């Protein structure tokens, strides 16, 4: 299957994002639909992964940033039916390494997928937090 990645906010399927985050995501089911909408709307950057032939959103990530040197990566997911195709890696690469925050210090909180994030330079100070140091030192 072929996938497209995009940081276009207007392309996001907010219903698909809400469906995943409210039923599948272990990290934020406490959020209301309105809160998720606010988080997506207020994101510094978003990345969606789409099935090229249909445009269906099957992966997502958002980031919060000061736009200068720091960013927080959040809500990274790939729909279960599309896992194993490298989409998680592509989403994180698009968000961090190929985007305007490539030189930022990045942080995230995760209970799983540490190997994925380590491939992108994140380091785990403990079992719940990982930090990606700035490339500037």
């Amino acid at each position: 299957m072929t996938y497209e990645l995009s940081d276009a906010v207007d392309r996001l399927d907010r219903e698909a994002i809400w469906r995943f985050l409210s039923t599948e995501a272990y990290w934020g089911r406490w959020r209301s639909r309105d809160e998720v909408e606010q988080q997506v709307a207020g994101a510094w950057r978003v990345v969606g992964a789409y099935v090229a032939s249909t445009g269906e959103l099957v992966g997502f990530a958002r980031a919060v940033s000061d736009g200068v040197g720091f960013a927080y990566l959040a809500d990274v997911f790939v729909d279960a039916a599309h896992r194993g195709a490298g989409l998680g890696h592509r989403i994180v690469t698009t968000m961090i390494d190929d985007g305007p925050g490539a030189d930022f210090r990045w942080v995230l909180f995760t209970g799983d997928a540490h190997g994925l994030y380590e491939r992108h330079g994140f380091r785990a100070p403990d079992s719940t937090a990982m930090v990606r140091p700035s490339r500037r030192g």
Side-chain angles (χ1 to χ4, degrees), residues 1-6 11-13 15-17 19-20 24 47-61 75-88 90-91:
M1 189 166 301
T2 305
Y3 299 96
E4 300 173 344
L5 276 75
S6 172
R11 188 172 179 187
L12 293 175
D13 179 345
E15 181 61 35
I17 293 167
R19 186 172 45 251
F20 187 92
E24 302 293 325
V47 172
Y50 305 88
V51 175
S53 61
T54 65
E56 174 190 10
L57 184 135
V58 296
F60 173 76
D75 293 332
V76 179
F77 73 80
V78 174
D79 184 84
H82 298 273
R83 293 181 188 152
L87 277 178
R90 288 183 59 196
I91 290 168

Side-chain angles (χ1 to χ4, degrees), residues 63-126:
V64 177
S65 175
D66 63 9
V68 177
F70 174 83
Y72 169 72
L73 180 63
D75 293 332
V76 179
F77 73 80
V78 174
D79 184 84
H82 298 273
R83 293 181 188 152
L87 277 178
H89 171 68
R90 288 183 59 196
I91 290 168
V92 175
T93 296
T94 301
M95 177 65 82
I96 293 177
D97 299 316
D98 297 341
D103 292 328
F104 289 6
R105 175 178 22 215
W106 285 83
V107 298
L108 67 87
F109 297 94
T110 185
D112 62 0
H114 289 79
L116 166 67
Y117 299 116
E118 288 169 351
R119 289 173 58 192
H120 294 277
F122 285 91
R123 309 270 186 282
D126 62 34

Side-chain angles (χ1 to χ4, degrees), residues 18-33 35-36 75:
W18 167 247
R19 186 172 45 251
F20 187 92
L21 293 178
S22 64
T23 63
E24 302 293 325
Y26 67 84
W27 61 86
R29 289 190 203 151
W30 56 266
R31 294 176 283 185
S32 69
R33 173 81 183 246
E35 289 168 330
V36 170
D75 293 332

